[in-house]
Amino acid sequence: MQFKVTRLSLLISGLFIATSPLGYAADTTEVGKVTVQGDANGGQNTGLIQQEETPKARSSVNREYMEKQSTTSNPYQMINLLPGVNSYDQDGTGLFGGNVRVRGFNSDQLGFTINGAPVNDSGNFAVYPQEYTDAENLCEIFVTQGSTDTEAPHVGASGGNIGMTMCTPEDQQRFRTEYTFGSNSLQKGYVRFDSGKIFNDRFKFFLSYSKTQADKFKGNGRADKQHVDFNSKFDLGAGSYVDSSFTYNSALNNNYRTLTKAQIAQYGPNLDFGTVAPVHQPGGTGAQNDSTYGPNAGINTGAKNLYYGYNLNPFKNWLATVNAHFQLAPASSIDVSPYMWYGFGTGGNQLQTLSEGNAGNLLGGGVRDINGDGDTKDTVFVYEGTRTRTYRPGVTIKYNQQIDNHKLMVGYWYERARHQQTGPYTTIDNNGNAADVWLNNPGAWLKNQDGSYVQYRDTLTISTGKSAFAQDSISLMQDQLNLQIGARYSSIDRNFTNNPSQSSPGFYTLQKSYSDLLPSFGARYQLDQAQSVFFNAAKNFKAPGNFSYFNLISGGNFVNGVYTGGTVRPVPVDKETSWNYDLGYRYAADKWTFSGSLFYINFKNRIATSYNQDTNSNTDYNVGDSTSKGLELESGYSITKNLSLYGSLSYIKSKMDSNLQYSATATLPTGGKEFPDTPNWLSGLSLQYAQDNWYLFSQAKYTGKRYTMLVNDDSIGGYTLFNVGGGYTLPSSTWLKNPTLKFNVNNIFDKKFLSLSSGSGSQFTTNAVAIGSIAAATPSFYVSPPRTFSVSLIADF
């Protein structure tokens, strides 16, 4: 394994050395905005590296790359080869989600946008990549490593931006159909209609629909997804226009089971959720307990615990955006961009037990008779999930003014998100069916004696985010030198209400506000027609997630079913901030494009999540100050007119500066330790051959060793993953245009590896070996998807 890793790293390093700009002749290039002439399109015909002008570290993939990948791929998979990006998906199709880190920043520390609208969870800033768009309708995904853009609509992004941009509708009317099939009964049908230019060539739109299904590669269950995308462009004339988009997603997925190393060693990597549905103990005199009932042995204990049919992730969401650009004068314009996000879903392990009762020392007087046997003495299996509903309207307004050599931008962003998180219970039958799988039918929910609904949790978070921002881009020396000076003042006000529930029986409210002034400075200097250097410094901040406000009351007691008294503990975590510094070099010529940067990141109060033994729950901590430093390189090289090579190489060292005060009496020795799930080395390689109407490509991604615990006493090894693909376009006929056949094979050598399960946020376990009074903890992992393939048939009419 070590030899393979070294060989791949040497190959990628050789790409950078062999194409060194010191021995490369620059061809025709304009100073300022770099435009090159050449047969190979500047080494960009892989679609993996673009010629950037911004004085920031930035990488992207474009339509040319994405259309060659599997049609079910999610954004994490699309950007996996870019420098600094460490991502995984759970099954190879992209339908079950995954996670991403950039420079060690987790997905909940990165700002995600679609057409400029934020799509991070408004409560804990989590990201769910399988929900957003169909890959066929995306034209660009960009990654701004480290520095969040001045106008970015985020209050939870301490580590940069990832932005997705939908394609503009086609100028000519078109009807496209697509069918994909593959491993594990994968099927996807996709249709798209483009209107072409209508209404005196001033308006055009597209509308697409897709339905995708796939079985899990291990265990029972599947993914079932339906998706709609709409995009339009209305030309108002004189440089003004209105772009609008709408995306809708509905999916019902079974979860994959995460495993500990001990479980993998004992039962093998294919262990998953059980297939035996739990049954109820027949009701009658006395107390019944479903969890100890003989036929349920192994349902909620043992190797095959938890029924797969009660490990579901149902979710629906839609996003509407408008980007209205009004050209007020040749040198001035205003942009108004309202958006509305709606999300609803549930998830987790929905198989739970609930004890009946009828007493004043129980919340709501106790749970009513569930199994209908006439008493309230029983413990019964029920269905309960983490139900969330979000309404999130917002708007960004920007004014742009060109004054001599100054390009000024000032603006304001505002949003108000209503984030309701509940946990209702509903009944299940003896055949594995739940009365309300989506937990969206109150008539099927269980109640307490006083008529209130039984809830595991019941919270409402109203988050009001705001930013006022300004930026001046100054062109000097005939644009040989460009300075970018900006600042934004960002804030979030959280109004949190905890209603009585099974996990937190006391009522309380909190009002918390977080804000910071976030300056930035960038400089780009054009050394000659092909070479430039840049420097960037920017401050970012992230507010704590709203889970920090959960379960803060203790010390009270029940009187007639109502929790009284008690003390509300302080919120245990504060905002985190980071200063990101980049020093970079870029080179662009006919056949070769290169970008490299050195970076340094200084964290204050970095946030991580781990188990708190004092509160018996997962809790956000400020693990203290930390630093990260490293380098990122990427290069695209056209070996011949038809053969292109892309490579990326990243090195990062991320360390915590001090020990963590884990509880009132215990300290974790985290000082000098590396942040978990942050490999020192990442490298990617893509080789593509394209000629006339066919192409072939191969890809390799190396992910280095990384620690799984905050104290670095457990780790998982590095691995290299290989993918291949190809496509062929047949001749068009009178009624059939551009019929294309393409195939993709992921993990072609069936490599076995593990990916750390840290939820959707920065959740880590602490220590694998007991440290004083701190008990040992056990991380869990997703096992690698096996070799999978997909074949797509595409045609226009």
Side-chain angles (χ1 to χ4, degrees):
M1 178 64 185
Q2 184 60 43
F3 174 71
K4 293 180 182 178
V5 170
T6 303
R7 183 168 57 187
L8 179 63
S9 299
L10 286 174
L11 179 61
I12 295 172
S13 299
L15 170 65
F16 299 118
I17 296 171
T19 54
S20 168
L22 297 177
Y24 215 95
D27 295 318
T28 304
T29 312
E30 292 181 13
V31 177
K33 182 174 182 179
V34 181
T35 56
V36 298
Q37 307 290 329
D39 294 335
N41 199 24
Q44 294 180 46
N45 48 346
T46 59
L48 278 163
I49 185 171
Q50 318 303 318
Q51 297 170 15
E52 303 287 353
E53 277 197 301
T54 178
K56 300 178 181 178
R58 190 180 190 273
S59 303
S60 61
V61 298
N62 64 18
R63 184 76 212 134
E64 188 171 3
Y65 174 79
M66 288 186 279
E67 67 185 359
K68 295 179 175 66
Q69 306 307 302
S70 172
T71 63
T72 65
S73 297
N74 66 48
Y76 289 175
Q77 295 169 292
M78 293 294 188
I79 62 174
N80 189 43
L81 293 182
L82 298 182
V85 175
N86 173 27
S87 72
Y88 71 84
D89 64 288
Q90 294 181 16
D91 78 324
T93 67
L95 295 174
F96 291 86
N99 198 33
V100 68
R101 299 185 189 278
V102 177
R103 290 186 177 178
F105 291 100
N106 193 67
S107 56
D108 66 339
Q109 297 170 300
L110 303 167
F112 283 75
T113 59
I114 297 177
N115 296 337
V119 293
N120 297 71
D121 185 276
S122 66
N124 67 347
F125 309 113
V127 181
Y128 307 100
Q130 71 273 28
E131 297 182 7
Y132 298 138
T133 66
D134 270 331
E136 295 90 339
N137 299 328
L138 286 175
C139 269
E140 183 188 36
I141 306 175
F142 67 85
V143 180
T144 304
Q145 296 101 332
S147 297
T148 304
D149 294 330
T150 300
E151 70 273 30
H154 304 300
V155 287
S158 53
N161 297 70
I162 294 179
M164 293 157 273
T165 305
M166 292 178 68
C167 294
T168 300
E170 298 290 321
D171 288 342
Q172 303 297 319
Q173 187 177 100
R174 185 187 73 176
F175 182 72
R176 169 161 289 185
T177 62
E178 172 189 289
Y179 175 70
T180 299
F181 66 91
S183 303
N184 304 310
S185 302
L186 170 67
Q187 293 187 75
K188 178 177 181 177
Y190 168 89
V191 293
R192 170 171 157 166
F193 173 72
D194 282 83
S195 68
K197 290 185 176 181
I198 56 178
F199 302 143
N200 296 322
D201 292 342
R202 299 183 68 177
F203 182 71
K204 58 183 179 177
F205 72 89
F206 78 74
L207 177 67
S208 71
Y209 168 80
S210 69
K211 181 175 177 58
T212 312
Q213 297 175 323
D215 293 337
K216 291 167 57 179
F217 71 82
K218 65 167 187 171
N220 284 31
R222 64 184 308 176
D224 194 335
K225 172 181 176 179
Q226 297 186 74
H227 193 89
V228 175
D229 281 337
F230 169 84
N231 189 265
S232 70
K233 186 177 184 67
F234 182 39
D235 186 356
L236 300 175
S240 299
Y241 57 85
V242 177
D243 290 343
S244 60
S245 69
F246 179 83
T247 180
Y248 169 82
N249 194 81
S250 177
L252 179 59
N253 291 1
N254 290 91
N255 297 326
Y256 278 97
R257 181 175 178 178
T258 58
L259 303 173
T260 66
K261 289 183 178 179
Q263 288 174 320
I264 294 171
Q266 183 173 1
Y267 303 108
N270 289 326
L271 176 66
D272 203 71
F273 297 112
T275 58
V276 178
V279 296
H280 297 299
Q281 184 176 2
T285 304
Q288 287 81 47
N289 189 331
D290 286 348
S291 63
T292 59
Y293 183 45
N296 291 328
I299 292 293
N300 61 345
T301 59
K304 287 285 186 180
N305 67 335
L306 307 179
Y307 178 52
Y308 83 95
Y310 299 148
N311 278 271
L312 301 173
N313 184 206
F315 57 91
K316 294 180 181 180
N317 55 274
W318 56 263
L319 171 68
T321 67
V322 175
N323 295 309
H325 177 81
F326 303 102
Q327 196 70 40
L328 306 177
S332 62
S333 63
I334 188 170
D335 295 278
V336 182
S337 303
Y339 61 87
M340 175 65 185
W341 167 272
Y342 170 81
F344 171 79
T346 180
N349 165 39
Q350 287 102 350
L351 178 60
Q352 303 292 334
T353 59
L354 192 59
S355 296
E356 303 168 343
N358 188 357
N361 63 349
L362 299 173
L363 179 64
V367 179
R368 290 180 179 178
D369 183 12
I370 302 172
N371 56 5
D373 66 351
D375 63 38
T376 53
K377 302 177 180 179
D378 308 319
T379 299
V380 184
F381 275 140
V382 292
Y383 180 98
E384 181 272 329
T386 54
R387 181 180 184 269
T388 301
R389 188 191 299 273
T390 303
Y391 297 91
R392 187 181 186 183
V395 63
T396 299
I397 301 173
K398 295 189 296 184
Y399 176 76
N400 310 284
Q401 180 70 53
Q402 183 81 41
I403 303 176
D404 296 329
N405 62 333
H406 294 264
K407 187 176 181 180
L408 301 171
M409 174 187 68
V410 295
Y412 186 74
W413 165 69
Y414 175 89
E415 77 164 26
R416 187 178 188 272
R418 190 177 190 274
H419 194 66
Q420 185 181 34
Q421 295 171 282
T422 55
Y425 295 80
T426 192
T427 57
I428 59 178
D429 64 21
N430 287 342
N431 297 313
N433 302 306
D436 182 15
V437 170
W438 283 81
L439 295 177
N440 201 29
N441 177 17
W445 298 352
L446 298 176
K447 294 183 178 181
N448 292 309
Q449 302 295 339
D450 64 0
S452 62
Y453 291 115
V454 186
Q455 302 267 15
Y456 175 75
R457 65 178 187 180
D458 187 359
T459 68
L460 174 64
T461 308
I462 298 177
S463 301
T464 304
K466 293 170 283 188
S467 285
F469 54 86
Q471 181 176 284
D472 186 9
S473 183
I474 309 169
S475 176
L476 302 170
M477 303 167 60
Q478 297 182 327
D479 203 37
Q480 187 173 6
L481 174 63
N482 181 270
L483 302 179
Q484 195 174 90
I485 303 169
R488 62 188 171 112
Y489 184 81
S490 295
S491 66
I492 181 171
D493 301 319
R494 291 206 194 267
N495 188 322
F496 177 82
T497 301
N498 185 88
N499 295 303
S501 66
Q502 297 291 312
S503 62
S504 186
F507 174 86
Y508 63 91
T509 61
L510 292 172
Q511 288 78 41
K512 296 290 290 185
S513 296
Y514 309 91
S515 61
D516 213 330
L517 177 64
L518 307 172
S520 63
F521 172 79
R524 186 263 303 157
Y525 183 76
Q526 200 75 29
L527 298 172
D528 56 30
Q529 291 182 331
Q531 302 179 84
S532 64
V533 293
F534 66 91
F535 171 78
N536 183 69
K539 185 181 182 182
N540 303 316
F541 99 105
K542 175 192 173 182
N546 70 325
F547 282 118
S548 302
Y549 311 148
F550 284 35
N551 306 327
L552 293 181
I553 193 167
S554 59
N557 55 75
F558 288 99
V559 177
N560 296 324
V562 178
Y563 187 88
T564 61
T567 302
V568 179
R569 298 185 301 275
V571 175
V573 65
D574 201 356
K575 68 181 181 184
E576 72 176 12
T577 61
S578 65
W579 270 99
N580 293 264
Y581 304 90
D582 288 280
L583 178 63
Y585 168 84
R586 294 188 179 114
Y587 180 85
D590 278 355
K591 296 183 177 181
W592 187 55
T593 304
F594 170 85
S595 179
S597 63
L598 299 171
F599 64 86
Y600 178 81
I601 306 166
N602 185 20
F603 277 101
K604 299 293 183 183
N605 291 327
R606 185 164 182 175
I607 298 173
T609 305
S610 62
Y611 184 77
N612 186 325
Q613 62 183 12
D614 291 344
T615 62
N616 195 35
S617 64
N618 287 319
T619 302
D620 280 349
Y621 290 92
N622 290 115
V623 296
D625 299 344
S626 68
T627 55
S628 299
K629 54 188 175 182
L631 63 87
E632 292 165 347
L633 308 173
E634 67 173 332
S635 179
Y637 181 57
S638 295
I639 301 172
T640 68
K641 181 178 180 180
N642 305 106
L643 185 64
S644 299
L645 186 65
Y646 170 86
S648 67
L649 183 66
S650 308
Y651 173 79
I652 183 172
K653 202 73 170 178
S654 178
K655 288 190 175 184
M656 291 171 276
D657 293 346
S658 57
N659 293 335
L660 170 63
Q661 190 65 42
Y662 178 70
S663 66
T665 59
T667 302
L668 278 172
T670 55
K673 301 297 195 301
E674 296 188 35
F675 235 81
D677 206 23
T678 304
N680 294 144
W681 290 99
L682 293 165
S683 55
L685 187 66
S686 178
L687 183 66
Q688 175 183 291
Y689 186 86
Q691 181 174 344
D692 299 326
N693 56 348
W694 64 275
Y695 68 89
L696 291 171
F697 72 85
S698 61
Q699 296 174 179
K701 176 65 182 285
Y702 169 67
T703 303
K705 169 187 173 182
R706 55 257 190 244
Y707 292 105
T708 64
M709 317 289 274
L710 284 172
V711 298
N712 292 181
D713 58 353
D714 184 74
S715 64
I716 46 180
Y719 64 94
T720 305
L721 194 64
F722 294 88
N723 303 327
V724 298
Y728 182 78
T729 300
L730 287 75
S732 298
S733 64
T734 303
W735 59 277
L736 190 65
K737 300 177 182 178
N738 303 315
T740 301
L741 172 69
K742 75 173 185 178
F743 74 92
N744 295 87
V745 183
N746 292 332
N747 194 7
I748 189 170
F749 297 119
D750 204 20
K751 181 68 178 177
K752 309 298 183 185
F753 58 92
L754 298 177
S755 298
L756 180 65
S757 172
S758 57
S760 298
S762 304
Q763 183 172 313
F764 302 116
T765 41
T766 51
N767 47 295
V769 179
I771 301 174
S773 63
I774 305 175
T778 305
S780 57
F781 304 90
Y782 288 104
V783 301
S784 55
R787 180 190 306 111
T788 56
F789 78 91
S790 67
V791 177
S792 297
L793 307 172
I794 307 164
D796 295 341
F797 296 89

